[in-house]
Amino acid sequence: MPTLAPSAPRAREHLNIVIVGHVDHGKSTLLGRLYADTGSLPDGKLDKVRDICRRQGKEFEYAFLFDAFLEEQEQGITIDTARTFFKWEGRHYIIIDAPGHKEFLKNMVSGAARAEAALLVIDAHEGVKEQSKKHGYLLSLLGIRQVAVIVNKMDLVGYRQDVFEAIEKEYRAFLALLKVTPERFVPVSAKLGANIARQGEEMPWYTGPTVLETLGLFRKEASQERQPLRFPVQDVYKFDARRIIAGRIATGKVRVGDRLVFSPSNKSAMIKTIEAFNVEPVPTEATAGQSTGITLDEQIFIMRGEIASHEDSVPLVSTAFRCNLFWMGRRPLEAGKKYLLRLATREVECEIVALHRIIDTMDLAARETKTSVGRNEVAELTIRTKAPITFDLYSDFEATGRFVLVDQYDVSGGGIVTEVVKDEHTVLREEARRRDIAWVKGDVGAEDRARHFGHRDALVLITGKRHTGKSMLARQLEVRLVADGRHAYLLDGANLRRGLDADLAEEDTGEIVRRFGEVARLLMDTGLIVISTTNAFAGADHQAIRTLVHPTPVITVHMSKSEEAPPPDTDLVFAGPKDFEAIADQVIEELKRRGVLAQAIGAKPQFHYSI
Amino acid sequence: MDSHLRQLEDQSVYILREAYKHFDHLAMLWSMGKDSTVLLWLVRKAFFGHVPFPLIHIDTSYKIPAMIEYRDRIAREWRLNLVIGMNTEALAQGMNHTMGRVTCCTALKTNGMKNLIAAKGYTGIILGVRADEEGTRAKERYFSPRDKHGDWDFREQPPELWDQFKTTFPEGTHIRIHPLLDWTEINIWEYIRAENIPIIDLYFDKGDGTRYRSLGCAPCTFPIKSTAKTVDEIIEELRSTTVAERSGRAQDEGRGMELLRKDGYM
């Protein structure tokens, strides 16, 4: 049977490996030993460190080779992750030495998040400790599936097989709870070099691979090219005549001529070109992992944070999901508090609406219910975002199924999405999505209309109780906009009730709202600025209308006789006696600020669409 | 191109685009050496031929003259917005390497840069440092915050995972951005070869059997013995050497680099 030479296909292959484990179990020593015993250190490095130790009157330790900070060497602990480069049998390794002290768990996470495989070190003498388990748990949460367990300091337990096997049994049972199957367990003495680069004669009962051989047995992760497309939009550039949508493809591939759907806006267009600098011939496709740029056949307005996919496999969109999260913040994570959520390139404000349980990483049992998650704790939560967000379940797509939370200035938590939670607008959102994706377009696009009219389409939603001047303002605004050459239309909900809604009863509010939203959507598709005021709609109805017209800009103006709390997401609030002309001015200013009106009203409309 | 080089390129481009998106006052440090010139090339990759932010050169006045000629030529050809920073005050007082290498580097480079950052109000500075250069750089983040004094608190580095970087920061502080962190010296040369990047000729032997492997100020940078005359020959030489890249850089002696970098050195 023909076999491939093991080193041939992996020439030039690069693998990221992280070394984790409890503090003082010998991670840095293992790393130092691996380098020294394979002749991988720069000339003179070993002698230099030995010399420093001699001068400082302390025993030489291999760990000193990579603990670069004076403080690390003095305290004998690794404070921060170090990345080192190692080559063996034609394969390149980037080995990440992560700290084991619980105070530096966030540094361990930073290191491990970059790895494709892990060596988890356990001290044979001390056995399985708190961080051994926490690190194991975090590896599984970070999605690292290849794990080899290195049982170190075997010299301190007389190289006894029963000690090794007891640790193997205990830790294997723990990993099984996480549904992680370790690749293997290797008994070593990093200090003395047994089973690191050479077979340890001290342990004749062990016939498995050494640490060096274990590295060679880790597999390179398969390319994610075959998965459905996920292309998060990173930015839109207009440096020259090209309008380039830039981003890195998370999974799948794009080809010139593909029709893309952008979520959550549901806009779609065809790829005209794939752009690249100094690439010959000009590329016609780009695949998972590539940072690329595309131009579209149609000028559609899309923003950073949207995720492009093909029509037949679109990601999830909602304002809520359930997740597992680990917290690294200085302050505890609190239910009810607002945080910034970042998922792929999207940033949106969010709130923890339910804290289901804190997970004890020692035995994975649920601990008592609390209202906050402390530093280095892991929890199951439900998160709600302020605006609809596009994502996937982590089990389906890693890159679009994980997120971080930012508290104040710092990335403070990392999580994976386990379940989509339907919100009250799920049905309408799905209707809007099906409608937008299947929408039959003419040859005049939204951007053509914008250029022609001198403004983009938008919805001005005027809310408030009866007799607060909503109607007066709506009329005033329509008159002002049309007089300035804009295309505006006053849509009063009452007008639909007698015509389009004639078949509906008073209590069919859901359907009344839905029809209103669809009519507004249709009018805006013609390029109009729609001004709407309806006494009958409540706060939840306004949210439903927003869902149906998404992503068209909605400017909400709340009117009241005296000070009162406006509905959520209100842009402008006016209480007390009113000067309608001044209010109309403010609404017009807001339309400018939101990019609906391109320049000062009154001037000849001359619209230049730019991002 | 080799798949690993492509991965490195994709990651660096992603980082550069994140930096450009998040920082209104962004600039890049260009020393005309091989690393920051590769970085400059990656900027052109990221922005499809454009360089949408200024390039800073901290001139110590002790640079090798050929570096200045090269700088001005490339700046012209690639239409770069070049900003030159110089600590004229320290130079007027006669600062030079004989007053102590750490002292001189701190005054002319670290403080030269800090003064320029403060004067121009930059909040993001892109640098071409690599993890494999020396120990403290191996512990850097892609997005690394610096406090009001430009100092680096390596004990409290922000978590960095899944390409979500630290892009928000209190007023008065700034972020150092390191798109080349994962590149090794040999990767740099392989990329120069693959992309045919015009590199300064001080890196090549021109007949006397010496060349520079790392570039800095003339008094503190020494050529190495080497007959490599082309990029191919340099790559060949690097594959067989175990001598550290910065062995010709005097500032790395003792704990020089840790002390320099803690105080904000690049």
Side-chain angles (χ1 to χ4, degrees):
Chain A
M1 207 166 64
T3 51
L4 287 167
S7 59
R10 49 171 59 173
R12 302 289 304 151
E13 190 174 278
H14 286 68
L15 201 66
N16 286 283
I17 310 245
V18 67
I19 306 181
V20 299
H22 196 79
V23 64
D24 219 16
H25 281 198
K27 295 177 294 298
S28 301
T29 306
L30 176 75
L31 181 70
R33 192 81 214 193
L34 192 66
Y35 273 70
D37 289 3
T38 52
S40 307
L41 291 167
D43 283 355
K45 173 100 182 182
L46 203 55
D47 290 337
K48 191 174 153 191
V49 175
R50 278 188 204 280
D51 193 48
I52 291 172
C53 289
R54 213 168 12 247
R55 269 187 285 147
Q56 294 177 355
K58 58 184 178 190
E59 199 186 336
F60 167 79
E61 283 189 35
Y62 283 98
F64 295 157
L65 286 167
F66 296 108
D67 281 339
F69 298 127
L70 185 60
E71 213 173 326
E72 294 181 316
Q73 294 183 6
E74 281 177 347
Q75 297 189 23
I77 55 165
T78 303
I79 291 174
D80 209 340
T81 298
R83 260 175 297 176
T84 62
F85 300 80
F86 175 73
K87 193 177 147 191
W88 192 252
E89 288 187 338
R91 198 190 212 189
H92 296 256
Y93 297 91
I94 294 151
I95 303 192
I96 304 154
D97 182 21
H101 197 289
K102 72 173 179 200
E103 199 186 321
F104 306 121
L105 196 73
K106 65 180 172 47
N107 296 344
M108 174 270 172
V109 166
S110 302
R114 291 176 178 164
E116 295 155 276
L119 297 177
L120 192 143
V121 181
I122 297 175
D123 182 331
H125 189 61
E126 281 201 9
V128 178
K129 301 292 277 189
E130 186 193 349
Q131 296 304 309
S132 318
K133 287 193 168 176
K134 186 146 252 165
H135 286 192
Y137 186 88
L138 289 174
L139 289 179
S140 83
L141 201 65
L142 290 164
I144 297 157
R145 287 176 198 88
Q146 299 187 75
V147 181
V149 181
I150 309 302
V151 180
N152 188 25
K153 306 194 190 180
M154 285 301 291
D155 51 310
L156 296 185
V157 296
Y159 300 106
R160 276 165 52 196
Q161 188 174 1
D162 59 327
V163 175
F164 170 72
E165 283 173 350
I167 289 172
E168 170 164 3
K169 191 168 172 234
E170 180 187 354
Y171 203 69
R172 210 178 260 284
F174 171 74
L175 288 180
L177 296 174
L178 302 171
K179 298 187 178 66
V180 171
T181 311
E183 304 276 307
R184 61 190 47 80
F185 283 73
V186 187
V188 309
S189 166
K191 194 177 174 188
L192 302 172
N195 284 335
I196 305 296
R198 64 166 172 88
Q199 211 69 42
E201 312 91 59
E202 303 90 337
M203 292 167 275
W205 45 267
Y206 177 78
T207 52
T210 60
V211 170
L212 188 59
E213 286 161 345
T214 298
L215 294 182
L217 291 166
F218 282 131
R219 297 164 305 278
K220 183 81 190 162
E221 275 181 9
S223 158
Q224 284 160 327
E225 200 178 308
R226 290 193 185 176
Q227 275 190 284
L229 174 69
R230 293 292 182 265
F231 177 41
V233 175
Q234 192 176 6
D235 212 339
V236 181
Y237 299 133
K238 190 88 182 49
F239 294 120
D240 45 41
R242 301 168 291 177
R243 182 165 170 270
I244 301 176
I245 299 175
R248 181 158 58 182
I249 301 173
T251 57
K253 60 159 78 173
V254 293
R255 284 196 195 87
V256 170
D258 282 3
R259 175 154 290 277
L260 297 185
V261 174
F262 294 86
S263 300
S265 75
N266 299 329
K267 297 203 170 169
S268 71
M270 210 132 80
I271 300 178
K272 190 166 76 180
T273 59
I274 291 175
E275 297 292 330
F277 170 74
N278 198 41
V279 177
E280 289 288 339
V282 177
T284 55
E285 64 170 50
T287 56
Q290 264 182 274
S291 284
T292 185
I294 57 171
T295 65
L296 300 172
D297 67 335
E298 198 185 325
Q299 298 293 301
I300 54 171
F301 182 78
I302 46 171
M303 287 188 303
R304 174 183 165 96
E306 300 212 41
I307 298 179
S309 68
H310 290 122
E311 275 172 76
D312 54 2
S313 170
V314 291
L316 300 166
V317 176
S318 185
T319 57
F321 58 77
R322 201 175 164 116
C323 61
N324 289 351
L325 174 130
F326 57 92
W327 188 248
M328 303 171 278
R330 251 169 272 189
R331 304 184 292 185
L333 173 84
E334 284 170 45
K337 226 183 112 186
K338 293 195 168 53
Y339 296 92
L340 184 71
L341 181 140
R342 291 167 57 172
L343 187 150
T345 54
R346 181 73 194 274
E347 288 191 8
V348 63
E349 195 182 286
C350 76
E351 194 183 323
I352 313 304
V353 288
L355 205 170
H356 305 294
R357 62 182 194 127
I358 306 271
I359 300 161
D360 186 334
T361 46
M362 281 307 275
D363 54 8
L364 306 190
R367 282 232 310 276
E368 93 260 41
T369 327
K370 298 202 298 184
T371 54
S372 69
V373 184
R375 193 174 200 178
N376 297 341
E377 280 188 322
V378 183
E380 256 179 57
L381 314 164
T382 295
I383 288 182
R384 182 156 194 152
T385 56
K386 197 174 170 195
I389 177 170
T390 310
F391 58 92
D392 285 291
L393 300 186
Y394 183 73
S395 51
D396 297 334
F397 293 87
E398 280 183 13
T400 48
R402 61 196 184 192
F403 64 92
V404 298
L405 292 187
V406 179
D407 183 20
Q408 219 173 5
Y409 299 115
D410 298 313
V411 170
S412 298
I416 59 174
V417 180
T418 52
E419 212 178 296
V420 57
V421 175
K422 293 198 172 172
D423 59 23
E424 56 273 44
H425 302 301
T426 300
V427 174
L428 289 181
R429 191 177 300 118
E430 279 168 10
E431 168 188 318
R433 191 173 211 186
R434 277 193 303 275
R435 172 245 285 154
D436 286 348
I437 291 175
W439 197 265
V440 179
K441 293 184 219 175
D443 291 336
V444 183
E447 303 305 300
D448 300 318
R449 285 183 211 281
R451 214 170 295 119
H452 184 71
F453 287 164
H455 59 81
R456 293 180 60 203
D457 55 311
L459 177 62
V460 180
L461 205 56
I462 305 174
T463 64
K465 295 200 184 85
R466 268 172 210 285
H467 310 303
T468 48
K470 299 196 297 295
S471 176
M472 279 290 284
L473 173 63
R475 285 154 189 273
Q476 176 88 20
L477 194 59
E478 186 189 30
V479 168
R480 285 281 303 278
L481 285 168
V482 172
D484 287 332
R486 314 294 177 171
H487 299 68
Y489 182 72
L490 173 65
L491 177 69
D492 194 304
N495 296 345
L496 301 190
R497 288 291 293 117
R498 286 164 195 96
L500 183 64
D501 296 343
D503 58 328
L504 298 178
E506 200 69 45
E507 60 271 20
D508 291 336
T509 40
E511 181 59 13
I512 290 170
V513 169
R514 192 188 74 80
R515 289 186 189 182
F516 181 88
E518 288 293 351
V519 168
R521 157 76 176 74
L522 207 53
L523 289 175
M524 288 188 290
D525 198 47
T526 70
L528 291 181
I529 297 171
V530 174
I531 305 158
S532 139
T533 160
T534 307
N535 277 326
F537 295 165
D541 301 332
H542 295 131
Q543 285 303 322
I545 293 167
R546 278 174 186 274
T547 301
L548 282 169
V549 305
H550 180 84
T552 307
V554 178
I555 286 113
T556 322
V557 184
H558 188 73
M559 312 280 279
S560 62
K561 284 188 179 150
S562 54
E563 296 286 338
E564 66 179 25
D569 304 325
T570 297
D571 299 295
L572 299 168
V573 180
F574 301 99
K578 296 172 188 75
D579 171 352
F580 290 104
E581 210 162 313
I583 295 178
D585 278 342
Q586 286 193 51
V587 176
I588 287 165
E589 278 310 309
E590 182 66 13
L591 286 166
K592 286 186 205 163
R593 198 184 64 79
R594 298 277 287 271
V596 176
L597 301 181
Q599 82 275 306
I601 248 179
K604 192 171 178 291
Q606 230 188 16
F607 195 79
H608 290 289
Y609 210 73
S610 67
I611 303 296
Chain B
M1 197 193 303
D2 174 81
S3 71
H4 181 63
L5 282 184
R6 172 150 294 153
Q7 274 173 31
L8 290 171
E9 181 193 87
D10 287 326
Q11 177 72 356
S12 302
V13 164
Y14 188 82
I15 292 167
L16 287 166
R17 288 175 177 170
E18 284 300 281
Y20 181 61
K21 184 75 208 178
H22 288 283
F23 294 87
D24 291 335
H25 303 283
L26 182 68
M28 183 186 122
L29 220 56
W30 181 40
S31 70
M32 291 82 70
K34 62 187 190 316
D35 301 316
S36 59
T37 303
V38 161
L39 188 54
L40 177 53
W41 189 264
L42 288 163
V43 170
R44 300 175 85 207
K45 282 264 175 194
F47 305 109
F48 304 94
H50 300 266
V51 181
F53 37 75
L55 296 181
I56 300 173
H57 175 223
I58 302 298
D59 195 346
T60 59
S61 82
Y62 298 112
K63 295 288 172 193
I64 304 166
M67 292 168 74
I68 305 299
E69 286 161 33
Y70 171 81
R71 177 190 78 189
D72 295 340
R73 178 171 66 82
I74 294 288
R76 218 170 29 246
E77 286 174 10
W78 294 356
R79 297 193 307 274
L80 306 176
N81 174 7
L82 201 59
V83 177
I84 312 230
M86 196 183 260
N87 190 348
T88 44
E89 203 178 313
L91 284 169
Q93 288 164 12
M95 177 55 70
N96 69 72
H97 69 285
T98 62
M99 300 166 90
R101 289 204 167 94
V102 170
T103 312
C104 182
C105 276
T106 300
L108 298 184
K109 292 170 88 175
T110 313
N111 293 341
M113 178 163 70
K114 282 183 183 176
N115 294 347
L116 188 72
I117 289 171
K120 297 276 184 181
Y122 296 128
T123 52
I125 301 286
I126 303 171
L127 300 111
V129 307
R130 305 189 332 262
D132 77 326
E133 283 180 275
E134 47 83 42
T136 69
R137 285 175 179 154
K139 292 175 182 266
E140 271 286 6
R141 298 283 191 269
Y142 295 123
F143 284 63
S144 179
R146 293 296 185 274
D147 70 12
K148 284 191 168 63
H149 312 289
D151 293 355
W152 181 38
D153 183 0
F154 60 80
R155 279 188 68 96
E156 266 303 327
Q157 295 212 71
E160 193 163 79
L161 63 157
W162 303 331
D163 291 332
Q164 298 291 356
F165 309 115
K166 184 175 173 71
T167 50
T168 45
F169 48 90
E171 202 168 317
T173 64
H174 75 273
I175 305 266
R176 301 272 176 91
I177 299 142
H178 304 129
L180 292 184
L181 218 50
D182 297 337
W183 296 58
T184 61
E185 185 185 12
I186 204 158
N187 295 149
I188 293 287
W189 285 108
E190 287 166 341
Y191 191 70
I192 289 167
R193 176 168 67 183
E195 290 285 324
N196 201 14
I197 302 170
I199 214 77
I200 189 165
D201 65 1
L202 290 169
Y203 285 108
F204 307 108
D205 168 33
K206 288 188 282 296
D208 63 352
T210 67
R211 66 177 194 89
Y212 286 94
R213 190 168 163 194
S214 176
L215 292 180
C217 295
C220 296
T221 311
F222 313 104
I224 56 160
K225 278 198 182 7
S226 161
T227 55
K229 293 185 174 64
T230 62
V231 176
D232 280 328
E233 286 171 15
I234 289 177
I235 292 171
E236 216 35 60
E237 182 182 283
L238 288 176
R239 287 210 170 122
S240 53
T241 186
T242 50
V243 175
E245 171 185 9
R246 297 174 61 88
S247 54
R249 298 291 290 270
Q251 57 185 204
D252 287 26
E253 281 165 22
R255 301 206 71 82
M257 211 36 140
E258 179 182 347
L259 298 172
L260 275 170
R261 298 207 72 238
K262 189 175 76 55
D263 289 337
Y265 184 80
M266 37 297 252

